[in-house]
Amino acid sequence: MRRTSERVSWGEHIAELATRFVADARVQWVAVLLVVAWIASGPQFAGWTTAHELIEQFIAGLSFLMLFLLQRSQNKDTLSLQLKLDELIASNPRASNRVLVAEEISEEEMVRMRRHFRLLDRLAREAGEGPLAEENAYRRHEEEQQLQAEQKREP
């Protein structure tokens, strides 16, 4: 159900309908029953090989289409989630805006940022403070980084 009056392309409309259809538990049970019936009764029919090949081709084509349908649905869900998180990050003045573009940075940079946030969490817990965003945890992190840099400089 759409909340806005924005027009949706027919492709998006078809994709939404198909996604809802295949996600329905009743449709999944019907598919399971059809497969079981197909396997159980297959060799008993005359012309089994021809029917078997047609069914295999149909299933291969349907699987190919479902791959794209599911990928489209996943991409839309991921984008929606990213937008919601961006809204939350942008609205919190204490949050780090560097993560707003996390999907555009390298994996190496993400790992480095993850280590940074884990360290902030550890420092906040050691200080008996609550969440990551505590100012003292940031200050302690900066102090630890400066201390590590000074130790590296000393021969």
Side-chain angles (χ1 to χ4, degrees):
M1 298 280 166
R2 296 218 173 269
R3 291 185 194 178
T4 63
S5 62
E6 121 187 8
R7 293 202 57 175
V8 179
S9 71
W10 66 270
E12 187 173 350
H13 183 69
I14 296 291
E16 285 180 15
L17 288 174
T19 302
R20 275 191 250 133
F21 177 75
V22 298
D24 190 318
R26 294 172 293 194
V27 173
Q28 292 173 0
W29 278 110
V30 168
V32 167
L33 293 174
L34 283 173
V35 169
V36 169
W38 173 47
I39 291 171
S41 65
Q44 298 171 0
F45 290 112
W48 167 248
T49 55
T50 305
H52 186 267
E53 289 173 4
L54 286 173
I55 291 171
E56 279 184 348
Q57 288 177 357
F58 175 75
I59 290 173
L62 189 60
S63 298
F64 184 73
L65 292 173
M66 287 302 298
L67 172 73
F68 290 101
L69 176 69
L70 293 173
Q71 186 61 51
R72 180 180 181 148
S73 176
Q74 185 66 40
N75 288 349
K76 185 176 180 183
D77 289 346
T78 300
L79 181 59
S80 170
L81 185 60
Q82 286 174 346
L83 289 172
K84 290 173 183 178
L85 289 172
D86 288 349
E87 169 81 16
L88 290 172
I89 292 167
S91 68
N92 185 346
R94 294 169 57 181
S96 171
N97 289 334
R98 293 181 301 176
V99 297
L100 285 173
V101 292
E103 62 276 358
E104 296 174 7
I105 62 176
S106 69
E107 191 172 340
E108 182 179 297
E109 177 70 11
M110 282 190 225
V111 170
R112 190 178 70 70
M113 289 174 74
R114 179 70 177 145
R115 277 192 227 120
H116 168 76
F117 286 118
R118 282 186 178 161
L119 177 61
L120 288 175
D121 183 49
R122 181 179 59 83
L123 294 171
R125 289 178 196 277
E126 286 174 1
E129 299 167 355
L132 277 176
E134 293 293 329
E135 295 271 335
N136 291 337
Y138 282 107
R139 264 190 248 112
R140 288 189 59 200
H141 175 62
E142 293 295 325
E143 291 169 3
E144 273 195 18
Q145 283 188 333
Q146 287 175 356
L147 183 62
Q148 288 174 0
E150 289 171 8
Q151 289 174 349
K152 286 181 183 179
R153 280 188 243 145
E154 292 178 6

